Amino acid sequence: MIDVVTGTHKSGKDWHQIWLDSPEATRMHTELDNMITDAANKPPGTVDDGHEFAMSLWDQTKIVTHRTNVSLYRNIDYINNKFALHIGVALFIGFSFWQIGDSVSDQQLILFSLFNYIFVAPGVIAQLQPLFIERRDIYETREKKSKMYSWVAFVTALIVSEIPYLIICGIIYFVCFYYTAGLPSASEKAGATFFVMLVYQFIYTGMGQFIAAYAPNAVFASLVNPLLLGTLVSFCGVLVPYAQIQAFWRYWLYYLNPFNYLMGSLLVFADWDWNVQCKESEFAIFDPPSGQTCAQYLEAWMNGPGSRNNLINPDASAGCKVCQYRGGKDYLYTINLTEEYYGWRDAGICVLFALSGYALVYLLMKLRTKASKKAE
């Protein structure tokens, strides 16, 4: 066989040349030429429909969201850690501020008990971002290059899959904290406070996801988190009162701070109608001039700068007792919450911050997608 193929067979015949000169070879080449000509005259078997992906964006989103939901549901460690963090923090804060009272000093306890809710964010974000970045890297390495589905479907799936757990976490925190701290149990106040607490779950989750969307890796994201959260906490009007914030920061960063509106709405809903009862040690006690009652002596003050003070014994002619506040709204006035409608106004602004946070996730993922295409 080797001799025949190489043309060195002892018969001396070149079988390759014999085949080329044969009528069978001529007939085969003619037939091949006819097949090529016939195929060239026919329309192509596939037609470009102009779509980048095989399925519509809606179908992509449904399938990818279902896959992400199943994946997250099976991630027991992530879900359990999320729930445990909310339960632990809520019970710790609730029992630390157990059944807040009605004194002037208790007003600060209301403020700081609600303020501590902000600090569930760092722990949850620290769990969220590595998972987000891991999935993003897999998508960019595999699914995006093979045109399996759009980045829009990917981002939507990551956002939607978190929503049920955010709602559960909001309920858990509210139930464990609100009633142990002794905050108002009236349905309109408790319901409004729960709504804002629920919105905050979406605010900080969106914040963590938009950082992760553009961060090159989880380490970089973990370095950005304290910088952003620390800045927002410092200028939300709690640690540094509004009047004491430096003017450079007060007139722009304070009003662009989601934590400012979060605290404003929570405080108005929980504390506005709080009835303040001074302890004996908290009263300002003094005697009026001879021949005047306490009300007569303090009339100008109570109608002016002291309008938010509470004179306990206006008819007394000695030992006037003045409490610093009449109610929670008088305390809130000192921290730049001057009207009751600020509650729902700030709650609405919190919703806008939650939506804008998720919009930034899409925007930064789009910018990252463009950057990766340019690099390729």
Side-chain angles (χ1 to χ4, degrees):
M1 290 179 62
I2 294 175
D3 289 342
V4 170
V5 171
T6 58
T8 59
H9 192 261
K10 61 183 179 179
S11 65
K13 295 182 180 180
D14 187 351
W15 295 104
H16 174 62
Q17 190 61 43
I18 291 173
W19 161 251
L20 292 178
D21 296 336
S22 68
E24 289 85 356
T26 302
R27 187 165 58 252
M28 183 195 72
H29 286 297
T30 302
E31 186 176 352
L32 288 174
D33 291 338
N34 291 336
M35 291 172 64
I36 293 171
T37 303
D38 184 58
N41 292 330
K42 291 181 179 179
T46 58
V47 179
D48 185 4
D49 59 2
H51 297 298
E52 185 177 5
F53 303 99
M55 302 177 72
S56 67
L57 180 60
W58 173 247
D59 290 329
Q60 294 174 48
T61 303
K62 287 193 297 183
I63 293 174
V64 178
T65 301
H66 175 69
R67 184 190 72 175
T68 309
N69 281 331
V70 173
S71 175
L72 197 61
Y73 178 76
R74 291 173 177 171
N75 194 342
I76 303 299
D77 290 339
Y78 175 76
I79 300 302
N80 287 345
N81 289 339
K82 203 178 184 77
F83 291 162
L85 178 65
H86 282 81
I87 294 172
V89 173
L91 290 177
F92 176 77
I93 296 174
F95 284 108
S96 296
F97 294 91
W98 173 259
Q99 297 299 310
I100 298 171
D102 299 329
S103 67
V104 170
S105 60
D106 288 328
Q107 288 295 296
Q108 285 194 337
L109 297 184
I110 297 172
L111 170 66
F112 282 104
S113 68
L114 293 169
F115 177 64
N116 276 284
Y117 180 46
I118 289 176
F119 297 103
V120 301
V124 178
I125 290 176
Q127 300 177 59
L128 167 72
Q129 288 177 333
L131 185 62
F132 186 103
I133 292 173
E134 179 186 355
R135 290 175 173 176
R136 184 202 67 189
D137 291 344
I138 293 174
Y139 166 75
E140 291 180 342
T141 304
R142 185 175 64 190
E143 282 90 350
K144 186 179 80 170
K145 294 183 183 300
S146 60
K147 298 292 183 181
M148 292 179 68
Y149 52 85
S150 167
W151 66 271
V152 177
F154 171 72
V155 174
T156 303
L158 290 179
I159 291 173
V160 172
S161 63
E162 288 280 351
I163 291 177
Y165 304 101
L166 296 180
I167 295 173
I168 295 173
C169 287
I171 295 172
I172 288 173
Y173 189 94
F174 175 80
V175 171
C176 293
F177 159 74
Y178 192 83
Y179 296 103
T180 53
L183 298 180
S185 58
S187 58
E188 65 275 10
K189 296 185 180 298
T193 303
F194 168 70
F195 172 76
V196 179
M197 286 186 166
L198 188 60
V199 171
Y200 178 60
Q201 294 285 329
F202 294 90
I203 291 176
Y204 76 72
T205 301
M207 195 180 300
Q209 287 183 331
F210 78 65
I211 292 172
Y214 203 74
N217 50 60
V219 174
F220 181 86
S222 68
L223 296 176
V224 174
N225 295 333
L227 177 63
L228 178 61
L229 293 174
T231 302
L232 296 180
V233 167
S234 299
F235 294 98
C236 70
V238 174
L239 298 180
V240 182
Y242 173 78
Q244 297 177 25
I245 298 176
Q246 292 293 325
F248 175 77
W249 303 110
R250 185 192 310 160
Y251 296 118
W252 67 279
L253 184 56
Y254 175 82
Y255 291 103
L256 292 177
N257 191 339
F259 293 172
N260 165 32
Y261 302 100
L262 171 71
M263 290 305 303
S265 54
L266 289 175
L267 285 168
V268 169
F269 291 143
D271 193 36
W272 187 266
D273 295 324
W274 200 284
N275 184 27
V276 175
Q277 302 289 336
C278 273
K279 298 177 182 177
E280 283 299 320
S281 59
E282 294 173 337
F283 282 113
I285 302 176
F286 52 89
D287 294 330
S290 178
Q292 287 187 333
T293 64
C294 295
Q296 291 171 337
Y297 175 57
L298 294 175
E299 182 178 5
W301 170 260
M302 297 298 292
N303 292 329
S307 59
R308 300 190 178 278
N309 299 153
N310 186 15
L311 177 59
I312 302 299
N313 51 348
D315 297 327
S317 57
C320 301
K321 300 173 70 174
V322 177
C323 186
Q324 187 175 359
Y325 306 123
R326 298 174 185 272
K329 62 182 178 182
D330 300 317
Y331 171 72
L332 297 181
Y333 187 86
T334 65
I335 56 174
N336 203 39
L337 296 171
T338 57
E339 300 290 343
E340 189 174 8
Y341 77 86
Y342 283 12
W344 283 111
R345 182 204 68 175
D346 290 357
I349 295 174
C350 285
V351 173
L352 294 179
F353 270 108
L355 295 176
S356 62
Y358 286 123
L360 281 174
V361 181
Y362 284 98
L363 175 61
L364 293 176
M365 194 68 186
K366 176 62 176 177
L367 294 177
R368 183 180 174 82
T369 301
K370 282 188 174 182
S372 62
K373 284 184 178 180
K374 185 177 180 181
E376 291 170 4

